[in-house]
Amino acid sequence: MENNSYLLETLKEFGNISGGNAAASLALLMDTQVYLSVSKVDKMTQLDLKTNDLRVEEHMISILLPFDGDMEGMLLFLLNQTFAQTYLKKVMQRDVCISTPRTGIKNVRGNC
């Protein structure tokens, strides 16, 4: 059995590398600078994810990206709502509204 902390550090580095590539692409797409923090890696079940208090003080948009093939798993992306709306506005070149059933929020900025 391999050292668990080594495996988690390996996954953290995977997150840093792929996050860096994603940030570079996003910066190019949006014609702006994008800064990332160091990745955080936690082992949890789907139930842990549903019941875990992430202590997020602002509304978040989540993207759950399952993958399969030679490896199976999921990646979870959490974006604060302001960032998501700014990104969509820039890419779609128009004002956008984000509405979620849970929060009922329909607009953070701009007119909808």
Side-chain angles (χ1 to χ4, degrees), residues 21 29 34 36 42 50 67 70 74 76-77 86:
N21 288 333
L29 180 66
V34 175
L36 295 178
D42 282 323
K50 290 178 184 175
F67 58 91
D70 290 342
M74 292 181 206
L76 175 65
F77 299 93
T86 301

Side-chain angles (χ1 to χ4, degrees), residues 6-98:
Y6 173 76
L7 295 175
L8 292 178
E9 282 298 315
T10 301
L11 288 172
K12 185 177 178 180
E13 190 58 26
F14 168 77
N16 289 333
I17 291 168
S18 53
N21 288 333
S25 296
L26 186 60
L28 186 63
L29 180 66
M30 294 183 65
D31 192 28
T32 190
Q33 292 184 342
V34 175
Y35 300 97
L36 295 178
S37 299
V38 176
S39 299
K40 180 181 177 187
V41 175
D42 282 323
K43 182 180 175 184
M44 46 181 28
T45 67
Q46 287 181 339
L47 180 60
D48 292 336
L49 187 59
K50 290 178 184 175
T51 60
N52 187 15
D53 179 11
L54 296 176
R55 300 192 191 285
V56 177
E57 296 180 6
E58 57 186 302
H59 295 288
M60 304 293 285
I61 304 296
S62 62
I63 302 168
L64 185 60
L65 180 64
F67 58 91
D68 58 17
D70 290 342
M71 296 186 339
E72 292 183 12
M74 292 181 206
L75 297 175
L76 175 65
F77 299 93
L78 296 175
L79 309 172
N80 76 39
Q81 193 161 347
T82 303
F83 171 82
Q85 187 160 351
T86 301
Y87 168 76
L88 290 171
K89 182 177 181 178
K90 180 102 176 182
V91 170
M92 298 178 75
Q93 298 181 349
R94 64 179 178 89
D95 284 338
V96 295
C97 297
I98 298 174

